[in-house]
Amino acid sequence: MALSQRLDLRQTQSLVMTPQLQQAIKLLQLSNIELSDFVDREIEQNPLLERDGGPGEGGDGGGDAAGDGRGEPGVVDLAAPEERQPPITDGRTRDTVEMTASETMGSASDAPLDTDFENVYSDDRFSDGTDGSSDVYGSWQERGGRGGFEDDDSNLEATLTGQKSLRDHLTEQLKIDLPDLGDQLIGLALIDMLDEAGWITGLEIDGLAAQLGCEPARVERVLAACQRFDPPGIFARSLKECLAIQLREKNRFDPAMEALLDHLELLAARNLPALMKVCGVDAEDIADMVSEIRKLNPKPALSFDHTPAQLVTPDILMRANPGGGWLIDLNPDTLPRVLVDHRYFARISGTARNKADKEYITERFQSANWLVKSLHQRATTILKVASEIIRQQDAFFIHGVSHLKPLILRDIAEAIGMHESTVSRVTTNKFMATPRGVFELKYFFTSAIQGADGQAAHSAEAVRYRIKAMIDAEKPEDVLSDDKIVEILRGEGIDIARRTVAKYREAMRIPSSVQRRRAKMSRM
């Protein structure tokens, strides 16, 4: 076959994602912290963008940009083409948070952010499912995205008092109990080797002595002194040693207790007859010894863990409507206040001297407009998805987790006319404050377990909750086996296999029925 060159014309269709569309999709899946960082970087790179501090932060949103003499900035109208200036009704320009109010969010023809930007954005107002007339989810629009959830500027983390760390606590004792500087150096090395539980795992006395240039006996002596420090059990090299240190502190370390510590695996299995045999005690003594063990702390260092919990800032705020249904708001604290300075653009574009400068200014202006538009579409899309989740999981918010419905991304996507991947991006790293707590939007998506006799499917999360509730309520003389739990659930219309019950039980770290029975009987 001869090889030759030829020229052909072909027509093909392909999906091309523009940089602007890629940016909009990227914004959709960012958390509120990541979004704030992204906007800050864009402001640094684009002279036509700036943050609006708002009335409470040194400006009224309508004055000159601080320190640059640009003049009064304008704001791109988020609900209209870029050429329209936003209406000013109160003598000042408005930022992106105010642009999400009902009068500027746009009509039903505006589309929330989706991968093709062609989905029709239907009415944001939902009914309660009875007569189709009551307005359940209109709070965010009616109150301009601001009212209803007032919050002050107080910072809870700023009220935390300083706590002494474990290292400081041990160092103070080291200086008092071991005045020799050489011993203190060894003690500091041992402190640095502590893990989160307060143990020194994998300690090699000879290796540490060689590293510090001292005798192994000296390291052993310093370690023994450190093991007398507070909290009791610190500097242990194993669980047995940790418990033994605390028992010596209480003067309860006798031969019988030592034998018990040598057979902790029998204690974990609740094999009390075997423990009585190896310890040489009767049932009453073994019960007292087990009670003493339960009072000990196997991880003494955790009492000094004063790391404050990181607070989650919800993206969506939800509360009950006094008239029935629910009210939903986007949290204004998570919406960046971004301004596009039209006056400064007009000023510098008129003074541009060459083509390159004009192209740069035009590109920056278009980029700024697109960012503001993308932020608006992101807010609209999050609100639309969250509203549909609330509508479909209404029973959960009223009655609790036992009424959580099985839900998948496709259910929401089909209900609001979006692509499934868009819903997935919206529900990633987005949190909603509800009357039942703060939940990630992903929490409301659970797999379904088929109902018995063709009945309605049940949420896997609700079934797990039911299993835990049954186990918590069981009596020592009537511990439920996995087969018994399956029988009860099937009687309630839940078709579930025994291995599924075992899987859910193990995921919740609930012991088997045999282990639970031994544990309950040992407490009697």
Side-chain angles (χ1 to χ4, degrees):
M1 185 175 85
L3 298 177
S4 62
Q5 293 181 340
R6 64 180 185 180
L7 184 63
D8 291 334
L9 292 177
R10 295 182 181 179
Q11 280 188 336
T12 61
Q13 289 183 342
S14 62
L15 177 63
V16 178
M17 296 192 60
T18 64
Q20 292 84 359
L21 181 56
Q22 293 178 10
Q23 180 196 71
I25 294 175
K26 178 182 178 182
L27 290 180
L28 191 59
Q29 60 190 4
L30 295 180
S31 65
N32 50 49
I33 297 177
E34 294 170 338
L35 179 66
S36 179
D37 293 339
F38 176 83
V39 171
D40 287 339
R41 291 194 299 270
E42 289 294 315
I43 292 175
E44 291 177 359
Q45 300 171 7
N46 195 332
L48 299 179
L49 280 173
E50 61 182 25
R51 278 189 183 272
D52 177 28
E57 300 182 22
D60 60 358
D64 294 344
D68 60 3
R70 294 181 183 178
E72 185 177 1
V75 183
V76 174
D77 190 343
L78 302 181
E82 297 173 355
E83 293 77 15
R84 264 185 55 186
Q85 293 290 336
I88 303 176
T89 59
D90 55 358
R92 65 181 183 88
T93 55
R94 291 180 289 176
D95 55 36
T96 51
V97 174
E98 295 170 299
M99 282 300 172
T100 55
S102 57
E103 63 272 12
T104 54
M105 280 292 289
S107 63
S109 62
D110 289 337
L113 182 60
D114 203 350
T115 52
D116 55 6
F117 287 95
E118 293 179 356
N119 293 295
V120 176
Y121 177 40
S122 59
D123 194 357
D124 281 326
R125 302 157 76 92
F126 297 83
S127 68
D128 59 3
T130 54
D131 57 2
S133 60
S134 62
D135 184 3
V136 180
Y137 304 106
S139 168
W140 184 59
Q141 293 179 321
E142 292 173 352
R143 290 173 281 144
R146 285 183 174 274
F149 297 93
E150 297 296 336
D151 190 13
D152 53 23
D153 297 331
S154 60
N155 183 2
L156 293 179
E157 295 180 355
T159 64
L160 295 177
T161 59
Q163 298 286 351
K164 183 185 295 185
S165 66
L166 176 64
R167 180 183 176 85
D168 294 338
H169 183 65
L170 295 175
T171 302
E172 290 179 359
Q173 300 176 74
L174 183 67
K175 293 179 180 179
I176 296 174
D177 291 5
L178 299 173
D180 184 81
L181 294 180
D183 292 345
Q184 290 182 12
L185 179 63
I186 298 174
L188 290 174
L190 293 174
I191 291 175
D192 290 336
M193 298 177 66
L194 291 174
D195 61 13
E196 295 180 355
W199 297 4
I200 301 182
T201 55
L203 172 63
E204 295 182 1
I205 298 295
D206 294 338
L208 181 60
Q211 179 182 350
L212 299 177
C214 64
E215 295 296 327
R218 188 176 187 182
V219 176
E220 288 276 11
R221 178 173 56 82
V222 173
L223 176 61
C226 291
Q227 288 180 344
R228 295 192 293 268
F229 288 176
D230 180 74
I234 202 75
F235 291 101
R237 287 165 288 186
S238 64
L239 175 60
K240 174 186 174 181
E241 188 174 36
C242 179
L243 300 179
I245 293 172
Q246 298 178 61
L247 289 170
R248 290 192 186 98
E249 182 78 14
K250 296 183 176 182
N251 196 24
R252 286 286 289 129
F253 190 71
D254 52 27
M257 191 67 78
E258 184 176 7
L260 189 150
L261 296 182
D262 288 334
H263 298 83
L264 287 175
E265 68 280 358
L266 296 178
L267 179 60
R270 302 293 195 275
N271 194 344
L272 299 185
L275 279 177
M276 292 166 55
K277 183 177 180 180
V278 298
C279 296
V281 296
D282 56 18
E284 184 178 355
D285 289 336
I286 200 66
D288 292 339
M289 294 166 64
V290 172
S291 178
E292 286 288 339
I293 293 293
R294 286 205 184 101
K295 296 176 183 178
L296 305 180
N297 185 3
K299 298 180 179 180
L302 295 185
S303 60
F304 280 82
D305 185 10
H306 297 295
T307 303
Q310 297 296 322
L311 299 178
V312 174
T313 303
D315 302 86
I316 305 110
L317 305 175
M318 169 195 171
R319 66 172 182 174
N321 187 351
W326 307 100
L327 299 176
I328 177 173
D329 271 333
L330 288 181
N331 188 351
D333 294 336
T334 63
L335 297 177
R337 298 172 178 266
V338 182
L339 300 175
V340 180
D341 198 335
H342 288 263
R343 293 175 183 261
Y344 184 61
F345 167 72
R347 177 180 173 183
I348 61 176
S349 59
T351 59
R353 298 182 179 181
N354 52 56
K355 182 179 179 181
D357 292 344
K358 292 182 179 180
E359 291 179 350
Y360 171 77
I361 295 171
T362 302
E363 187 273 332
R364 293 288 86 189
F365 183 66
Q366 293 175 348
S367 176
N369 283 330
W370 182 265
L371 176 62
V372 175
K373 180 180 179 181
S374 298
L375 291 174
H376 162 61
Q377 291 174 320
R378 176 184 183 272
T380 305
T381 307
I382 292 175
L383 179 69
K384 192 172 182 68
V385 171
S387 299
E388 182 61 24
I389 290 175
I390 294 173
R391 188 184 68 82
Q392 297 207 26
Q393 295 290 5
D394 181 71
F396 163 79
F397 299 108
I398 297 175
H399 303 291
V401 69
S402 60
H403 288 73
L404 190 66
K405 292 172 52 180
L407 188 67
I408 59 176
L409 297 174
R410 188 184 303 113
D411 297 334
I412 300 296
E414 292 177 352
I416 62 179
M418 287 186 183
H419 196 275
E420 190 173 337
S421 62
T422 304
V423 178
S424 177
R425 292 186 179 96
V426 169
T427 54
T428 300
N429 294 324
K430 309 296 187 305
F431 294 85
M432 179 164 59
T434 74
R436 295 195 174 273
V438 178
F439 298 92
E440 187 179 9
L441 294 184
K442 289 285 188 184
Y443 172 81
F444 300 101
F445 296 90
T446 61
S447 57
I449 295 179
Q450 186 61 40
D453 301 328
Q455 298 179 22
H458 302 268
S459 166
E461 184 67 23
V463 174
R464 281 193 288 267
Y465 175 82
R466 178 68 181 120
I467 293 173
K468 186 177 185 305
M470 285 191 293
I471 292 177
D472 291 342
E474 65 186 5
K475 299 179 180 180
E477 64 276 8
D478 188 22
V479 175
L480 300 175
S481 64
D482 292 346
D483 290 325
K484 183 63 176 179
I485 293 176
V486 170
E487 181 182 345
I488 295 175
L489 291 177
R490 287 182 176 173
E492 297 176 355
I494 303 174
D495 186 11
I496 189 171
R498 179 186 179 280
R499 63 179 180 275
T500 305
V501 171
K503 181 180 70 173
Y504 288 170
R505 175 178 54 75
E506 292 171 359
M508 293 184 288
R509 297 183 178 181
I510 297 176
S512 65
S513 58
V514 176
Q515 294 173 322
R516 298 199 308 273
R517 182 178 294 107
R518 288 178 178 174
K520 291 177 183 294
M521 294 302 294
S522 64
R523 297 192 187 103
M524 294 180 64

